């Protein structure tokens, strides 16, 4: 193989409309991130295969130049759909088809094998949650790039500690939420802690978006009445300006 694991890792996070890539150095620090647009929704089989082929060629070429292995989540399609539904929304998750997802995985692995690039499959548990909480704001990454970063680090065998700061967690739509840190006990394994964090984050995001939706509905309901009041005021004033009274000498 032309790649060497001691150099670092390249993590991929597959999404409904793009693939996020994150590259690490020998210590698991972030070096570079990329996003490859890839939306196969509504495309024919031939068009989807062509789009996927173009993107996987760029990804494998990047790995060849970096001389680093590619790390992917060991997820089946059903799990990926559920993850996207939690991370984004149900409508967005429907954009990713079973055909496209399996084709992307197969294409990356197949081309990597042909060009001597090692591929690794890792446990997908909580990569999105960890990336969102620990790295998105810290390094200015999108939630998808931060997930790819976690995947790359996991491919290197790096463990993720639960952080102490929880005051600025991106919601993925330009806003932020805050969480109360979990109670740390020596008896709990890190995966148990991250599982609790994932549940709290999912619940908080759901409440956060529900509040935003209610607020937008409330504001939309107020607009017609405001416009009516404004129109009534103008009509009382005689249109858009003051009435002028002309006098003759």
């Amino acid at each position: 193989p032309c790649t060497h694991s001691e150099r670092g890792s390249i993590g991929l996070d597959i999404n409904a409309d793009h693939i996020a890539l994150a590259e690490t150095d020998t210590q698991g620090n972030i070096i570079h991130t990329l996003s490859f647009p890839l939306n196969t929704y509504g495309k024919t089989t031939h068009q989807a295969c062509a789009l996927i082929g173009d993107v996987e060629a760029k990804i494998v070429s990047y790995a060849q130049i970096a001389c680093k292995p590619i790390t992917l989540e060991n997820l089946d399609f059903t799990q990926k759909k559920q993850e996207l539904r939690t991370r984004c929304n149900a409508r967005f998750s429907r954009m990713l088809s079973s055909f496209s997802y399996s084709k992307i995985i197969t294409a990356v692995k197949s081309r990597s094998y042909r060009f001597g690039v090692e591929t690794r499959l890792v446990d997908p548990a909580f990569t999105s949650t960890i990336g969102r909480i620990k790295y998105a704001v810290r390094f200015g990454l999108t939630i998808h790039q931060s997930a790819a970063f976690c995947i790359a680090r996991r491919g290197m065998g790096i463990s993720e500690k639960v952080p102490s700061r929880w005051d600025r967690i991106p919601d993925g739509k330009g806003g932020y939420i805050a969480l109360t840190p979990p109670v740390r006990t020596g008896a709990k394994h890190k995966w148990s802690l991250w599982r609790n964090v994932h549940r709290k984050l999912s619940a908080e995001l759901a409440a956060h978006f529900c509040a935003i939706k209610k607020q937008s509905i409330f504001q939309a309901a107020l607009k017609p009445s405001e416009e009516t009041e404004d129109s009534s005021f103008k009509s009382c004033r005689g249109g858009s300006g003051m009435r002028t009274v002309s006098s003759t000498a």
Side-chain angles (χ1 to χ4, degrees):
C2 69
T3 54
H4 307 280
S5 57
E6 64 272 12
R7 289 177 177 264
S9 178
I10 294 172
L12 299 182
D13 182 53
I14 300 170
N15 298 283
D17 62 349
H18 76 285
I19 296 179
L21 177 150
E23 180 188 356
T24 65
D25 63 13
T26 57
Q27 302 300 316
N29 300 309
I30 192 75
I31 293 179
H32 193 55
T33 59
L34 288 171
S35 292
F36 298 95
L38 181 58
N39 189 351
T40 61
Y41 185 72
K43 300 293 190 296
T44 65
T45 299
H46 178 73
Q47 290 171 329
C49 287
L51 290 171
I52 293 169
D54 288 343
V55 171
E56 52 97 357
K58 293 176 183 177
I59 291 171
V60 174
S61 177
Y62 185 96
Q64 281 183 291
I65 295 170
C67 296
K68 296 175 183 178
I70 294 173
T71 307
L72 300 159
E73 291 178 302
N74 190 16
L75 272 176
D76 63 25
F77 176 68
T78 303
Q79 291 173 306
K80 188 63 184 181
K81 290 278 279 191
Q82 181 59 42
E83 180 197 353
L84 286 176
R85 189 176 292 112
T86 303
R87 192 194 306 181
C88 306
N89 55 58
R91 182 180 179 184
F92 186 77
S93 71
R94 285 195 294 270
M95 292 172 62
L96 182 65
S97 68
S98 176
F99 168 79
S100 295
Y101 182 69
S102 60
K103 185 68 178 177
I104 291 168
I105 297 293
T106 302
V108 171
K109 291 170 69 176
S110 176
R111 189 176 184 88
S112 296
Y113 178 79
R114 293 201 312 272
F115 287 89
V117 175
E118 180 188 358
T119 56
R120 297 176 174 180
L121 295 177
V122 297
D123 187 339
F126 317 124
T127 53
S128 297
T129 296
I130 295 170
R132 188 195 294 260
I133 291 175
K134 291 188 67 174
Y135 303 120
V137 171
R138 181 180 174 185
F139 296 118
L141 307 177
T142 68
I143 58 174
H144 305 295
Q145 290 169 345
S146 58
F149 179 40
C150 283
I151 293 167
R153 284 169 58 86
R154 191 164 293 179
M156 299 176 69
I158 298 174
S159 179
E160 300 287 356
K161 295 181 180 179
V162 178
S164 57
R165 293 196 62 180
W166 303 72
D167 55 344
R168 200 159 180 259
I169 302 170
D171 64 3
K173 296 184 178 181
Y176 298 90
I177 63 171
L179 287 179
T180 304
V183 178
R184 298 169 183 263
T185 62
K188 282 193 174 182
H189 189 271
K190 68 176 186 300
W191 287 124
S192 178
L193 284 172
W194 278 121
R195 184 175 294 106
N196 291 338
V197 170
H198 176 73
R199 289 171 181 166
K200 289 182 67 174
L201 178 62
S202 298
E204 188 63 32
L205 284 172
H208 171 71
F209 289 129
C210 182
I212 291 175
K213 186 176 181 179
K214 286 182 179 179
Q215 185 179 15
S216 64
I217 293 173
F218 177 73
Q219 290 175 343
L222 285 178
K223 282 185 177 180
S225 60
E226 290 175 353
E227 291 174 357
T228 302
E229 289 175 3
D230 187 55
S231 299
S232 299
F233 177 74
K234 286 183 177 181
S235 63
C236 290
R237 296 290 296 272
S240 59
M242 295 285 291
R243 288 185 180 178
T244 59
V245 180
S246 61
S247 60
T248 57

